[in-house]
Amino acid sequence: MIDAMAAAYQLRELRPKSFEILTKCSATFVKQRDGACMTYRRPHIVLAEDRGSIFDREITAVHWSPPFEGPLCLPPDDVDDYYEAYADFERLLNISVDVPSEKDLASYADEFTWERKLKPGEVLIFNNRRMLHGRNGFTVAGGGRAENGRRHLVGCYTNIDDTLNTYRVGLRERQPCSHVSVLNVGNGTTIVP
């Protein structure tokens, strides 16, 4: 796992032009499989809607999922700059991309990628608009092939608004006289009573 939002702040500092491009150019994301038929167009880096310079605004989401990227729909004059910015961000995020002349970018992934082999029964919960995740290949004990091994991972997605609503209703039922403010969970968090 790696904190893509922190990486976006790093990109803003190291490659301001690339950062700006990834906040303005929308990418296409497509997920087509059983139970899913989704197509979205959005920039890779999303900023708070505050007024002011993009270099001062809070980053509220990062959309980065190369396996689900669809066709690029940009004016021809923007394509080269987009791919250059894309490559800069990829170097920050992907520990396996090694470009000797870009060590300032690659060192981020080296330092901030977190790996853990989950044990049976463990749960890992994270904000999918902040953290990037993946799985590594594995070798089966005794030298067998991975296809013959057992690997069971269940993924689950939840809408943060529905989850927060369930939490607040439960809190209100357990503490009816309480007027506890609960943070809106997510990026660009504010206190809402």
Side-chain angles (χ1 to χ4, degrees):
M1 292 190 80
I2 192 164
D3 186 339
M5 191 172 297
Y9 279 106
Q10 188 76 8
L11 182 68
R12 178 158 64 185
E13 183 179 316
L14 296 173
R15 300 286 192 284
K17 179 182 175 191
S18 293
F19 176 83
E20 182 174 12
I21 289 166
L22 295 181
T23 65
K24 293 184 175 182
C25 295
S26 289
T28 304
F29 297 91
V30 179
K31 193 172 194 177
Q32 305 287 338
R33 62 178 185 209
D34 289 343
C37 185
M38 300 180 282
T39 302
Y40 301 99
R41 289 195 25 117
R42 53 181 59 135
H44 288 289
I45 301 171
V46 180
L47 303 175
E49 295 182 18
D50 305 340
R51 294 175 190 225
S53 166
I54 66 167
F55 300 105
D56 298 324
R57 289 164 45 197
E58 179 183 13
I59 298 168
T60 59
V62 173
H63 301 287
W64 191 264
S65 187
F68 296 111
E69 287 177 19
L72 187 61
C73 300
L74 291 176
D77 290 345
D78 294 342
V79 171
D80 288 343
D81 288 341
Y82 169 82
Y83 280 119
E84 184 178 321
Y86 186 99
D88 284 345
F89 201 42
E90 175 76 9
R91 286 183 201 106
L92 272 171
L93 297 170
N94 192 339
I95 200 166
S96 65
V97 175
D98 186 22
V99 178
S101 63
E102 303 288 341
K103 283 296 182 195
D104 61 331
L105 297 174
S107 65
Y108 180 87
D110 287 337
E111 187 174 346
F112 293 105
T113 297
W114 178 75
E115 293 184 8
R116 176 173 175 85
K117 182 178 179 181
L118 293 176
K119 297 178 182 128
E122 284 188 319
V123 174
L124 180 61
I125 299 171
F126 53 90
N127 180 337
N128 217 23
R129 292 190 179 176
R130 179 177 187 126
M131 303 301 292
L132 301 182
H133 61 92
R135 290 173 290 284
N136 292 327
F138 67 99
T139 303
V140 177
R145 293 178 40 190
E147 301 87 58
N148 300 331
R150 293 187 58 208
R151 182 180 204 167
H152 183 74
L153 180 67
V154 177
C156 175
Y157 295 89
T158 181
N159 176 298
I160 195 62
D161 295 323
D162 294 336
T163 303
L164 189 55
N165 174 63
T166 301
Y167 174 75
R168 286 183 171 146
V169 168
L171 185 63
R172 186 175 61 205
E173 289 171 355
R174 287 173 184 74
Q175 301 171 351
C177 295
S178 174
H179 295 289
V180 176
S181 293
V182 178
L183 286 175
N184 278 343
V185 179
N187 312 320
T189 297
T190 56
I191 295 177
V192 176

